[in-house]
Amino acid sequence: PRRTRSRRGVEETAVPAREGRSAMSKFNRLLLVIKQTAFASYTAREELAQAAGRTLRFDHARMARLRERHDTHMFQVERITKLLEQRGAATTSVMRDDVTPEHVADADLVVALGGDGTTLIASHKLVGEFGATPLVGVNTDRASPSDLATLYRSSEPFDMRRSTGHLCACTSDNVETVLDDIVFGRAEPTRLTRARVDVAGVVLPPVLNDVLIAHPSPGAVSRYSVHVPRKDEKDEGSDGSAASGDGAENKASRDSRGPLWFHVRSSGLRVCTAAGSTAAMRSAGGEPMHYSSRELQFMDREPIYFDHAPPPSSGHGFYSEHETMRFRWNSRAGTVFLDGAHVTHDVQMGDLVSISADAPQLRLFTSPWFRRNHSNMWPDRREAMKHANEGTEDGLLGDRDWIVDGS
């Protein structure tokens, strides 16, 4: 293959198509978005410190373990790149922090090599005219069932747990089979709802998992006032205009009363999509959602209702795909965290924030485990699902396929 380096951190590969295979390929221009490992980041910091005449050394034992994971990841990146080249695909490789719209514009399929974090970061680039470009995540350093069952405690104070790859379609174990199905058109992507977040008129990258709005200090109170539609506002569109059948007299009456606001003091507000409902939302006591749901789920984190008995609100609920959550930020400072800590946006007192399901859907290739975990039957039908017949249409593979079994 002919390799050319066109940008810093970008490697392009032009591969002669194999006779008889390129005509079968559904995707021929692939963008490989690659994770930078923790080992690479720590090593870079040590080198910068050395160049500045300072000494910076991280724990030797931990660095040795991170080096093993780094080597595993890079081995899989090289292996997967060769697999794709052998199938006649032209690939462009770029580190995930260096991805630009130009990279995405040249691709008909984006492949995230790393884990859930890399897949989420890559999804933020698939917006606007590139929103229809499909994405597939590959977990290059998978956590085995044994890892998840045993690495919660160890004889050393190092947390070496790996990503479960919840959003990834495959791991290094089955990557060849899954990528063949994708590249040659035997698999179809899952359409997933993403959340649109507007802060003071600025549209942020679409959210695949969840968005957290909170004071930048975890010890500070987050204050915000949520707009609560009155009963006669339920049928209004997202732009606030009255629906058909709502007369001018009722509209004037409603305007004279003014909006209704619910004032909240808490540790922040989290809103998730169906795809993110089994992540932090589930850990906080939220409900798992079917992956095809267009609703958004919200939860006030540790709301303060000390002066109300009973509390005026549960602080948890859902917005339909046609509804928009609107609130005013009342703390002096705040931060919007999009799909984790990598992408953030500052919010200040008086900013109006809106969150809706009005972002373009993401075409993500998902695993059978992902679709089962968002089946709307968890956890009340978990036992029935675990003992279902193997090879059923629903893809229920029985007890062995549950990554974490609390029993």
Side-chain angles (χ1 to χ4, degrees), residues 82-102:
K82 291 179 181 178
L83 287 175
L84 294 170
E85 292 173 355
Q86 291 169 0
R87 283 145 181 80
T91 64
T92 298
S93 298
V94 60
M95 303 306 291
R96 70 184 189 185
D97 293 335
D98 298 325
V99 179
T100 67
E102 289 73 21

Side-chain angles (χ1 to χ4, degrees), residues 266-323:
S266 71
S267 295
L269 170 68
R270 187 184 305 277
V271 180
C272 77
T273 65
S277 64
T278 56
M281 182 64 74
R282 173 182 154 193
S283 297
E287 298 180 17
M289 301 164 64
H290 194 279
Y291 62 84
S292 65
S293 173
R294 293 279 290 160
E295 290 185 319
L296 298 179
Q297 185 174 176
F298 74 90
M299 181 176 288
D300 298 316
R301 303 169 72 213
E302 304 158 1
I304 302 172
Y305 295 138
F306 60 89
D307 54 351
H308 291 80
S313 169
S314 66
H316 172 243
F318 296 82
Y319 279 75
S320 76
E321 64 175 305
H322 304 297
E323 295 178 314

Side-chain angles (χ1 to χ4, degrees), residues 175-294:
V175 61
E176 185 167 2
T177 301
V178 172
L179 287 183
D180 274 350
D181 288 343
I182 293 173
V183 171
F184 297 117
R186 297 190 292 267
E188 291 296 327
T190 303
R191 292 184 177 272
L192 298 176
T193 294
R194 293 192 285 181
R196 168 175 169 155
V197 182
D198 296 67
V199 177
V202 178
V203 181
L204 306 186
V207 175
L208 176 58
N209 244 12
D210 56 27
V211 53
L212 170 66
I213 304 97
H215 194 284
S217 169
V221 174
S222 296
R223 295 174 171 86
Y224 47 96
S225 296
V226 182
H227 176 255
V228 182
R230 300 179 186 273
K231 289 183 178 180
D232 54 359
E233 291 179 299
K234 290 290 187 180
D235 295 329
E236 290 189 358
S238 60
D239 62 351
S241 60
S244 59
D246 188 10
E249 182 177 349
N250 288 339
K251 183 73 164 57
S253 175
R254 184 168 59 249
D255 289 343
S256 66
R257 292 199 311 266
L260 178 64
W261 298 89
F262 186 78
H263 309 297
V264 183
R265 295 184 180 186
S266 71
S267 295
L269 170 68
R270 187 184 305 277
V271 180
C272 77
T273 65
S277 64
T278 56
M281 182 64 74
R282 173 182 154 193
S283 297
E287 298 180 17
M289 301 164 64
H290 194 279
Y291 62 84
S292 65
S293 173
R294 293 279 290 160

Side-chain angles (χ1 to χ4, degrees), residues 30-107:
L30 275 57
L31 174 63
L32 309 185
V33 180
I34 302 172
K35 169 187 177 180
Q36 182 182 30
T37 65
F39 176 81
S41 298
Y42 289 146
T43 302
R45 289 174 61 184
E46 288 180 341
E47 292 173 350
L48 286 174
Q50 184 177 7
R54 295 184 291 107
T55 300
L56 178 62
R57 290 288 183 269
F58 295 101
D59 182 86
H60 178 74
R62 177 172 175 79
M63 289 295 288
R65 288 168 173 78
L66 291 177
R67 176 60 185 265
E68 292 178 4
R69 296 179 60 174
H70 170 84
D71 291 343
T72 299
H73 167 70
M74 295 309 301
F75 172 80
Q76 293 301 334
V77 169
E78 290 294 326
R79 173 189 170 222
I80 293 166
T81 302
K82 291 179 181 178
L83 287 175
L84 294 170
E85 292 173 355
Q86 291 169 0
R87 283 145 181 80
T91 64
T92 298
S93 298
V94 60
M95 303 306 291
R96 70 184 189 185
D97 293 335
D98 298 325
V99 179
T100 67
E102 289 73 21
H103 295 134
V104 180
D106 294 335

